[in-house]
Amino acid sequence: MKLKREQLKQDILFEQSQLDAVAQKISGIEKDAAETSVAALGVYLMNFYNGIENIMKRCAREYYKKIPKGDDWHKQLLQQSCSEINNKVPLFDRDTVDGLYPYLSFRHFFIHGYVFKLNREKMESLSTGLDELWQKIKEQLTEFIDRI
């Protein structure tokens, strides 16, 4: 029991140190437009994947009638979107799902991490490939809608 409390104390102190850094960043945000643009890019990248995931969740619930559960439900949902379930049309092809995994990973990091730890270069690699991936997704969504 004592070890769990010590770990809890360490966890709280770690988060406190991270929040100290966040508070400092907020205080200086007007001075650092470059960092603000990194944060904004992060929000948009997370929004992009969240939107795709919203579509996958709706299809899972309404069409496939199979909602993933458990700690890794986000990964299961993505994997399910390119699988034939009960002879139903898959939402995406394997290449598209493979292309979405880095966005899922980024979404997880963004939600559970701190904005000042974002890496501009990694985010720019995601944003560079986004237009092509999005066009592919829209084509596959149109095909899915036509086939169901």
Side-chain angles (χ1 to χ4, degrees):
M1 184 69 126
K2 187 168 176 117
L3 289 176
K4 287 183 181 182
R5 287 187 183 167
E6 285 303 316
Q7 184 60 53
L8 176 59
K9 289 177 185 178
Q10 289 176 10
D11 292 346
I12 291 169
L13 290 172
F14 172 76
E15 288 301 325
Q16 181 180 328
S17 72
Q18 298 301 296
L19 290 166
D20 280 339
V22 169
Q24 286 177 346
K25 296 294 183 180
I26 290 169
S27 297
I29 203 161
E30 290 145 4
K31 299 174 194 167
D32 194 354
E35 189 164 320
T36 302
S37 72
V38 168
L41 179 56
V43 169
Y44 286 123
L45 288 169
M46 184 196 62
N47 285 167
F48 174 75
Y49 188 79
N50 280 348
I52 302 299
E53 191 170 82
N54 288 341
I55 293 168
M56 292 186 296
K57 285 189 293 193
R58 186 70 183 258
C59 290
R61 186 174 37 256
E62 305 296 329
Y63 180 67
Y64 299 116
K65 308 287 187 201
K66 184 178 180 195
I67 311 258
K69 296 186 179 356
D71 291 341
D72 67 341
W73 74 267
H74 295 277
K75 288 181 184 177
Q76 290 179 46
L77 182 67
L78 184 54
Q79 184 61 38
Q80 175 178 299
S81 73
C82 71
S83 304
E84 281 191 31
I85 299 171
N86 300 327
N87 295 319
K88 293 190 175 184
V89 176
L91 183 59
F92 301 126
D93 65 25
R94 165 58 51 201
D95 287 343
T96 298
V97 167
D98 289 345
L100 283 168
Y101 270 107
Y103 295 90
L104 170 60
S105 295
F106 177 79
R107 178 210 163 274
H108 179 81
F109 177 81
F110 189 87
I111 288 174
H112 298 287
Y114 291 92
V115 75
F116 63 87
K117 291 194 172 187
L118 293 175
N119 181 301
R120 178 182 285 279
E121 290 77 29
K122 286 182 182 178
M123 290 182 358
E124 286 175 351
S125 74
L126 289 174
S127 65
T128 299
L130 192 128
D131 287 338
E132 184 178 332
L133 178 62
W134 178 228
Q135 287 306 316
K136 198 169 159 181
I137 288 169
K138 288 194 294 188
E139 290 168 10
Q140 290 176 27
L141 290 174
T142 298
E143 184 179 328
F144 177 81
I145 290 167
D146 289 346
R147 291 180 65 198
I148 62 170

mmCIF file of all heavy atoms in Angstrom, residues 20-60:
data_model
loop_
_atom_site.group_PDB
_atom_site.id
_atom_site.type_symbol
_atom_site.label_atom_id
_atom_site.label_comp_id
_atom_site.label_asym_id
_atom_site.label_seq_id
_atom_site.Cartn_x
_atom_site.Cartn_y
_atom_site.Cartn_z
ATOM 1 N N ASP A 20 3.591 23.206 -14.472
ATOM 2 C CA ASP A 20 4.399 24.410 -14.298
ATOM 3 C C ASP A 20 4.894 24.899 -15.657
ATOM 4 O O ASP A 20 4.847 26.099 -15.962
ATOM 5 C CB ASP A 20 5.619 24.137 -13.402
ATOM 6 C CG ASP A 20 5.285 24.137 -11.925
ATOM 7 O OD1 ASP A 20 4.262 24.717 -11.540
ATOM 8 O OD2 ASP A 20 6.076 23.538 -11.170
ATOM 9 N N ALA A 21 5.356 23.957 -16.474
ATOM 10 C CA ALA A 21 5.847 24.317 -17.804
ATOM 11 C C ALA A 21 4.712 24.854 -18.678
ATOM 12 O O ALA A 21 4.891 25.815 -19.431
ATOM 13 C CB ALA A 21 6.511 23.108 -18.460
ATOM 14 N N VAL A 22 3.524 24.240 -18.575
ATOM 15 C CA VAL A 22 2.366 24.716 -19.339
ATOM 16 C C VAL A 22 2.019 26.147 -18.922
ATOM 17 O O VAL A 22 1.792 27.015 -19.765
ATOM 18 C CB VAL A 22 1.145 23.782 -19.148
ATOM 19 C CG1 VAL A 22 -0.124 24.416 -19.713
ATOM 20 C CG2 VAL A 22 1.391 22.437 -19.804
ATOM 21 N N ALA A 23 1.989 26.395 -17.620
ATOM 22 C CA ALA A 23 1.662 27.736 -17.121
ATOM 23 C C ALA A 23 2.661 28.772 -17.641
ATOM 24 O O ALA A 23 2.282 29.882 -18.022
ATOM 25 C CB ALA A 23 1.631 27.731 -15.591
ATOM 26 N N GLN A 24 3.944 28.406 -17.672
ATOM 27 C CA GLN A 24 4.963 29.316 -18.201
ATOM 28 C C GLN A 24 4.735 29.569 -19.689
ATOM 29 O O GLN A 24 4.880 30.694 -20.168
ATOM 30 C CB GLN A 24 6.354 28.740 -17.984
ATOM 31 C CG GLN A 24 6.813 28.807 -16.556
ATOM 32 C CD GLN A 24 8.183 28.153 -16.362
ATOM 33 O OE1 GLN A 24 8.680 27.429 -17.211
ATOM 34 N NE2 GLN A 24 8.783 28.431 -15.208
ATOM 35 N N LYS A 25 4.384 28.511 -20.410
ATOM 36 C CA LYS A 25 4.137 28.668 -21.851
ATOM 37 C C LYS A 25 2.943 29.579 -22.093
ATOM 38 O O LYS A 25 2.971 30.426 -22.986
ATOM 39 C CB LYS A 25 3.902 27.311 -22.513
ATOM 40 C CG LYS A 25 5.091 26.393 -22.468
ATOM 41 C CD LYS A 25 6.225 26.929 -23.300
ATOM 42 C CE LYS A 25 7.381 25.944 -23.297
ATOM 43 N NZ LYS A 25 8.500 26.400 -24.079
ATOM 44 N N ILE A 26 1.880 29.402 -21.313
ATOM 45 C CA ILE A 26 0.699 30.249 -21.475
ATOM 46 C C ILE A 26 1.055 31.705 -21.206
ATOM 47 O O ILE A 26 0.643 32.604 -21.937
ATOM 48 C CB ILE A 26 -0.448 29.760 -20.571
ATOM 49 C CG1 ILE A 26 -0.976 28.423 -21.089
ATOM 50 C CG2 ILE A 26 -1.571 30.795 -20.489
ATOM 51 C CD1 ILE A 26 -1.930 27.708 -20.147
ATOM 52 N N SER A 27 1.856 31.958 -20.202
ATOM 53 C CA SER A 27 2.275 33.327 -19.869
ATOM 54 C C SER A 27 3.040 33.971 -21.014
ATOM 55 O O SER A 27 2.931 35.174 -21.247
ATOM 56 C CB SER A 27 3.158 33.321 -18.622
ATOM 57 O OG SER A 27 2.450 32.860 -17.515
ATOM 58 N N GLY A 28 3.823 33.181 -21.715
ATOM 59 C CA GLY A 28 4.653 33.741 -22.771
ATOM 60 C C GLY A 28 4.126 33.524 -24.174
ATOM 61 O O GLY A 28 4.836 33.774 -25.143
ATOM 62 N N ILE A 29 2.869 33.129 -24.316
ATOM 63 C CA ILE A 29 2.359 32.741 -25.632
ATOM 64 C C ILE A 29 2.386 33.896 -26.636
ATOM 65 O O ILE A 29 2.646 33.684 -27.817
ATOM 66 C CB ILE A 29 0.953 32.124 -25.520
ATOM 67 C CG1 ILE A 29 0.682 31.249 -26.730
ATOM 68 C CG2 ILE A 29 -0.125 33.169 -25.343
ATOM 69 C CD1 ILE A 29 -0.430 30.253 -26.515
ATOM 70 N N GLU A 30 2.125 35.116 -26.178
ATOM 71 C CA GLU A 30 2.135 36.240 -27.100
ATOM 72 C C GLU A 30 3.529 36.520 -27.633
ATOM 73 O O GLU A 30 3.694 37.072 -28.709
ATOM 74 C CB GLU A 30 1.569 37.478 -26.418
ATOM 75 C CG GLU A 30 0.081 37.363 -26.161
ATOM 76 C CD GLU A 30 -0.337 38.027 -24.881
ATOM 77 O OE1 GLU A 30 0.504 38.645 -24.217
ATOM 78 O OE2 GLU A 30 -1.523 37.915 -24.543
ATOM 79 N N LYS A 31 4.534 36.120 -26.882
ATOM 80 C CA LYS A 31 5.914 36.367 -27.286
ATOM 81 C C LYS A 31 6.422 35.321 -28.269
ATOM 82 O O LYS A 31 7.425 35.532 -28.923
ATOM 83 C CB LYS A 31 6.830 36.368 -26.056
ATOM 84 C CG LYS A 31 6.503 37.419 -25.052
ATOM 85 C CD LYS A 31 7.363 37.254 -23.820
ATOM 86 C CE LYS A 31 6.811 38.072 -22.680
ATOM 87 N NZ LYS A 31 7.405 37.724 -21.413
ATOM 88 N N ASP A 32 5.735 34.185 -28.358
ATOM 89 C CA ASP A 32 6.270 33.080 -29.138
ATOM 90 C C ASP A 32 5.265 32.585 -30.179
ATOM 91 O O ASP A 32 4.616 31.559 -30.015
ATOM 92 C CB ASP A 32 6.674 31.932 -28.207
ATOM 93 C CG ASP A 32 7.539 30.898 -28.891
ATOM 94 O OD1 ASP A 32 7.739 30.997 -30.117
ATOM 95 O OD2 ASP A 32 8.020 29.992 -28.215
ATOM 96 N N ALA A 33 5.125 33.333 -31.256
ATOM 97 C CA ALA A 33 4.181 32.989 -32.307
ATOM 98 C C ALA A 33 4.530 31.651 -32.970
ATOM 99 O O ALA A 33 3.647 30.909 -33.390
ATOM 100 C CB ALA A 33 4.124 34.094 -33.353
ATOM 101 N N ALA A 34 5.809 31.316 -33.055
ATOM 102 C CA ALA A 34 6.217 30.060 -33.687
ATOM 103 C C ALA A 34 5.675 28.872 -32.896
ATOM 104 O O ALA A 34 5.161 27.905 -33.470
ATOM 105 C CB ALA A 34 7.732 29.972 -33.799
ATOM 106 N N GLU A 35 5.770 28.930 -31.591
ATOM 107 C CA GLU A 35 5.257 27.832 -30.766
ATOM 108 C C GLU A 35 3.734 27.762 -30.844
ATOM 109 O O GLU A 35 3.152 26.695 -30.841
ATOM 110 C CB GLU A 35 5.710 27.983 -29.317
ATOM 111 C CG GLU A 35 5.366 26.752 -28.507
ATOM 112 C CD GLU A 35 6.119 26.694 -27.204
ATOM 113 O OE1 GLU A 35 7.316 27.032 -27.169
ATOM 114 O OE2 GLU A 35 5.500 26.300 -26.220
ATOM 115 N N THR A 36 3.087 28.912 -30.942
ATOM 116 C CA THR A 36 1.636 28.941 -31.079
ATOM 117 C C THR A 36 1.214 28.265 -32.379
ATOM 118 O O THR A 36 0.234 27.524 -32.407
ATOM 119 C CB THR A 36 1.124 30.395 -31.022
ATOM 120 O OG1 THR A 36 1.549 30.969 -29.789
ATOM 121 C CG2 THR A 36 -0.382 30.451 -31.117
ATOM 122 N N SER A 37 1.965 28.479 -33.445
ATOM 123 C CA SER A 37 1.612 27.838 -34.720
ATOM 124 C C SER A 37 1.814 26.325 -34.645
ATOM 125 O O SER A 37 1.064 25.575 -35.262
ATOM 126 C CB SER A 37 2.394 28.444 -35.885
ATOM 127 O OG SER A 37 3.741 28.061 -35.854
ATOM 128 N N VAL A 38 2.786 25.859 -33.880
ATOM 129 C CA VAL A 38 2.980 24.422 -33.679
ATOM 130 C C VAL A 38 1.775 23.843 -32.951
ATOM 131 O O VAL A 38 1.248 22.795 -33.321
ATOM 132 C CB VAL A 38 4.288 24.127 -32.904
ATOM 133 C CG1 VAL A 38 4.353 22.687 -32.450
ATOM 134 C CG2 VAL A 38 5.498 24.461 -33.760
ATOM 135 N N ALA A 39 1.323 24.542 -31.909
ATOM 136 C CA ALA A 39 0.155 24.082 -31.150
ATOM 137 C C ALA A 39 -1.077 24.038 -32.042
ATOM 138 O O ALA A 39 -1.856 23.082 -31.992
ATOM 139 C CB ALA A 39 -0.073 24.981 -29.941
ATOM 140 N N ALA A 40 -1.245 25.060 -32.871
ATOM 141 C CA ALA A 40 -2.398 25.108 -33.769
ATOM 142 C C ALA A 40 -2.354 23.950 -34.764
ATOM 143 O O ALA A 40 -3.373 23.297 -35.017
ATOM 144 C CB ALA A 40 -2.439 26.439 -34.506
ATOM 145 N N LEU A 41 -1.185 23.683 -35.326
ATOM 146 C CA LEU A 41 -1.047 22.555 -36.245
ATOM 147 C C LEU A 41 -1.406 21.253 -35.529
ATOM 148 O O LEU A 41 -2.102 20.399 -36.083
ATOM 149 C CB LEU A 41 0.370 22.490 -36.810
ATOM 150 C CG LEU A 41 0.672 21.339 -37.772
ATOM 151 C CD1 LEU A 41 -0.285 21.321 -38.957
ATOM 152 C CD2 LEU A 41 2.127 21.420 -38.235
ATOM 153 N N GLY A 42 -0.963 21.115 -34.284
ATOM 154 C CA GLY A 42 -1.292 19.928 -33.504
ATOM 155 C C GLY A 42 -2.788 19.752 -33.330
ATOM 156 O O GLY A 42 -3.324 18.651 -33.469
ATOM 157 N N VAL A 43 -3.471 20.846 -33.032
ATOM 158 C CA VAL A 43 -4.928 20.784 -32.869
ATOM 159 C C VAL A 43 -5.582 20.325 -34.170
ATOM 160 O O VAL A 43 -6.458 19.456 -34.164
ATOM 161 C CB VAL A 43 -5.494 22.153 -32.427
ATOM 162 C CG1 VAL A 43 -7.011 22.175 -32.515
ATOM 163 C CG2 VAL A 43 -5.043 22.487 -31.017
ATOM 164 N N TYR A 44 -5.163 20.891 -35.285
ATOM 165 C CA TYR A 44 -5.770 20.519 -36.562
ATOM 166 C C TYR A 44 -5.475 19.068 -36.945
ATOM 167 O O TYR A 44 -6.347 18.378 -37.471
ATOM 168 C CB TYR A 44 -5.336 21.476 -37.673
ATOM 169 C CG TYR A 44 -6.002 22.821 -37.570
ATOM 170 C CD1 TYR A 44 -5.253 23.976 -37.480
ATOM 171 C CD2 TYR A 44 -7.383 22.939 -37.555
ATOM 172 C CE1 TYR A 44 -5.858 25.220 -37.376
ATOM 173 C CE2 TYR A 44 -8.003 24.177 -37.457
ATOM 174 C CZ TYR A 44 -7.240 25.306 -37.367
ATOM 175 O OH TYR A 44 -7.852 26.522 -37.272
ATOM 176 N N LEU A 45 -4.263 18.609 -36.691
ATOM 177 C CA LEU A 45 -3.950 17.203 -36.976
ATOM 178 C C LEU A 45 -4.792 16.272 -36.105
ATOM 179 O O LEU A 45 -5.294 15.248 -36.585
ATOM 180 C CB LEU A 45 -2.461 16.928 -36.770
ATOM 181 C CG LEU A 45 -1.532 17.507 -37.823
ATOM 182 C CD1 LEU A 45 -0.069 17.403 -37.371
ATOM 183 C CD2 LEU A 45 -1.724 16.820 -39.168
ATOM 184 N N MET A 46 -4.960 16.626 -34.842
ATOM 185 C CA MET A 46 -5.800 15.822 -33.970
ATOM 186 C C MET A 46 -7.253 15.862 -34.449
ATOM 187 O O MET A 46 -7.929 14.844 -34.493
ATOM 188 C CB MET A 46 -5.715 16.321 -32.529
ATOM 189 C CG MET A 46 -6.514 15.449 -31.569
ATOM 190 S SD MET A 46 -6.842 16.210 -29.966
ATOM 191 C CE MET A 46 -7.814 17.620 -30.419
ATOM 192 N N ASN A 47 -7.729 17.036 -34.849
ATOM 193 C CA ASN A 47 -9.093 17.157 -35.359
ATOM 194 C C ASN A 47 -9.305 16.311 -36.608
ATOM 195 O O ASN A 47 -10.374 15.718 -36.781
ATOM 196 C CB ASN A 47 -9.434 18.609 -35.688
ATOM 197 C CG ASN A 47 -9.683 19.478 -34.476
ATOM 198 O OD1 ASN A 47 -9.724 20.699 -34.610
ATOM 199 N ND2 ASN A 47 -9.848 18.909 -33.302
ATOM 200 N N PHE A 48 -8.293 16.267 -37.467
ATOM 201 C CA PHE A 48 -8.399 15.458 -38.683
ATOM 202 C C PHE A 48 -8.647 14.002 -38.317
ATOM 203 O O PHE A 48 -9.596 13.379 -38.805
ATOM 204 C CB PHE A 48 -7.113 15.590 -39.526
ATOM 205 C CG PHE A 48 -7.075 14.677 -40.713
ATOM 206 C CD1 PHE A 48 -7.848 14.944 -41.832
ATOM 207 C CD2 PHE A 48 -6.272 13.552 -40.717
ATOM 208 C CE1 PHE A 48 -7.830 14.089 -42.941
ATOM 209 C CE2 PHE A 48 -6.239 12.693 -41.812
ATOM 210 C CZ PHE A 48 -7.012 12.972 -42.923
ATOM 211 N N TYR A 49 -7.818 13.459 -37.444
ATOM 212 C CA TYR A 49 -8.008 12.057 -37.092
ATOM 213 C C TYR A 49 -9.316 11.843 -36.318
ATOM 214 O O TYR A 49 -10.024 10.861 -36.551
ATOM 215 C CB TYR A 49 -6.829 11.473 -36.299
ATOM 216 C CG TYR A 49 -7.045 9.987 -36.166
ATOM 217 C CD1 TYR A 49 -6.745 9.144 -37.225
ATOM 218 C CD2 TYR A 49 -7.642 9.437 -35.039
ATOM 219 C CE1 TYR A 49 -7.013 7.786 -37.161
ATOM 220 C CE2 TYR A 49 -7.916 8.083 -34.960
ATOM 221 C CZ TYR A 49 -7.600 7.261 -36.018
ATOM 222 O OH TYR A 49 -7.894 5.926 -35.968
ATOM 223 N N ASN A 50 -9.660 12.760 -35.425
ATOM 224 C CA ASN A 50 -10.917 12.625 -34.687
ATOM 225 C C ASN A 50 -12.112 12.563 -35.625
ATOM 226 O O ASN A 50 -13.048 11.797 -35.395
ATOM 227 C CB ASN A 50 -11.106 13.772 -33.689
ATOM 228 C CG ASN A 50 -10.325 13.579 -32.417
ATOM 229 O OD1 ASN A 50 -9.808 12.507 -32.145
ATOM 230 N ND2 ASN A 50 -10.227 14.632 -31.640
ATOM 231 N N GLY A 51 -12.086 13.357 -36.683
ATOM 232 C CA GLY A 51 -13.169 13.328 -37.662
ATOM 233 C C GLY A 51 -13.260 11.986 -38.364
ATOM 234 O O GLY A 51 -14.358 11.435 -38.542
ATOM 235 N N ILE A 52 -12.110 11.446 -38.758
ATOM 236 C CA ILE A 52 -12.085 10.120 -39.403
ATOM 237 C C ILE A 52 -12.606 9.082 -38.409
ATOM 238 O O ILE A 52 -13.417 8.216 -38.758
ATOM 239 C CB ILE A 52 -10.650 9.750 -39.851
ATOM 240 C CG1 ILE A 52 -10.074 10.778 -40.821
ATOM 241 C CG2 ILE A 52 -10.623 8.343 -40.440
ATOM 242 C CD1 ILE A 52 -10.808 10.959 -42.103
ATOM 243 N N GLU A 53 -12.153 9.187 -37.163
ATOM 244 C CA GLU A 53 -12.588 8.225 -36.151
ATOM 245 C C GLU A 53 -14.095 8.336 -35.892
ATOM 246 O O GLU A 53 -14.762 7.323 -35.660
ATOM 247 C CB GLU A 53 -11.807 8.425 -34.852
ATOM 248 C CG GLU A 53 -12.020 7.291 -33.866
ATOM 249 C CD GLU A 53 -11.082 7.369 -32.691
ATOM 250 O OE1 GLU A 53 -11.389 8.133 -31.745
ATOM 251 O OE2 GLU A 53 -10.051 6.671 -32.712
ATOM 252 N N ASN A 54 -14.640 9.540 -35.946
ATOM 253 C CA ASN A 54 -16.089 9.702 -35.791
ATOM 254 C C ASN A 54 -16.841 8.938 -36.868
ATOM 255 O O ASN A 54 -17.867 8.303 -36.599
ATOM 256 C CB ASN A 54 -16.482 11.174 -35.815
ATOM 257 C CG ASN A 54 -16.067 11.912 -34.567
ATOM 258 O OD1 ASN A 54 -15.798 11.316 -33.529
ATOM 259 N ND2 ASN A 54 -15.997 13.235 -34.665
ATOM 260 N N ILE A 55 -16.349 8.992 -38.089
ATOM 261 C CA ILE A 55 -16.969 8.245 -39.189
ATOM 262 C C ILE A 55 -16.857 6.745 -38.921
ATOM 263 O O ILE A 55 -17.835 5.997 -39.090
ATOM 264 C CB ILE A 55 -16.318 8.612 -40.539
ATOM 265 C CG1 ILE A 55 -16.636 10.056 -40.912
ATOM 266 C CG2 ILE A 55 -16.765 7.648 -41.644
ATOM 267 C CD1 ILE A 55 -15.831 10.609 -42.072
ATOM 268 N N MET A 56 -15.676 6.285 -38.510
ATOM 269 C CA MET A 56 -15.483 4.860 -38.229
ATOM 270 C C MET A 56 -16.394 4.390 -37.096
ATOM 271 O O MET A 56 -16.967 3.296 -37.167
ATOM 272 C CB MET A 56 -14.017 4.562 -37.902
ATOM 273 C CG MET A 56 -13.087 4.736 -39.086
ATOM 274 S SD MET A 56 -11.369 4.231 -38.764
ATOM 275 C CE MET A 56 -10.845 5.385 -37.506
ATOM 276 N N LYS A 57 -16.541 5.204 -36.039
ATOM 277 C CA LYS A 57 -17.414 4.830 -34.917
ATOM 278 C C LYS A 57 -18.863 4.725 -35.375
ATOM 279 O O LYS A 57 -19.574 3.797 -34.992
ATOM 280 C CB LYS A 57 -17.303 5.855 -33.776
ATOM 281 C CG LYS A 57 -16.032 5.746 -32.978
ATOM 282 C CD LYS A 57 -16.048 6.611 -31.728
ATOM 283 C CE LYS A 57 -16.056 8.066 -32.035
ATOM 284 N NZ LYS A 57 -15.769 8.936 -30.874
ATOM 285 N N ARG A 58 -19.288 5.670 -36.189
ATOM 286 C CA ARG A 58 -20.674 5.651 -36.674
ATOM 287 C C ARG A 58 -20.926 4.423 -37.533
ATOM 288 O O ARG A 58 -21.959 3.759 -37.397
ATOM 289 C CB ARG A 58 -20.940 6.938 -37.452
ATOM 290 C CG ARG A 58 -22.345 7.136 -37.897
ATOM 291 C CD ARG A 58 -23.251 7.420 -36.696
ATOM 292 N NE ARG A 58 -24.619 7.555 -37.093
ATOM 293 C CZ ARG A 58 -25.235 8.722 -37.216
ATOM 294 N NH1 ARG A 58 -24.592 9.834 -36.973
ATOM 295 N NH2 ARG A 58 -26.493 8.757 -37.568
ATOM 296 N N CYS A 59 -19.992 4.096 -38.409
ATOM 297 C CA CYS A 59 -20.120 2.889 -39.239
ATOM 298 C C CYS A 59 -20.107 1.626 -38.380
ATOM 299 O O CYS A 59 -20.871 0.691 -38.635
ATOM 300 C CB CYS A 59 -19.011 2.831 -40.291
ATOM 301 S SG CYS A 59 -19.183 4.070 -41.579
ATOM 302 N N ALA A 60 -19.252 1.602 -37.367
ATOM 303 C CA ALA A 60 -19.175 0.440 -36.474
ATOM 304 C C ALA A 60 -20.513 0.232 -35.777
ATOM 305 O O ALA A 60 -21.003 -0.900 -35.673
ATOM 306 C CB ALA A 60 -18.051 0.626 -35.450
#
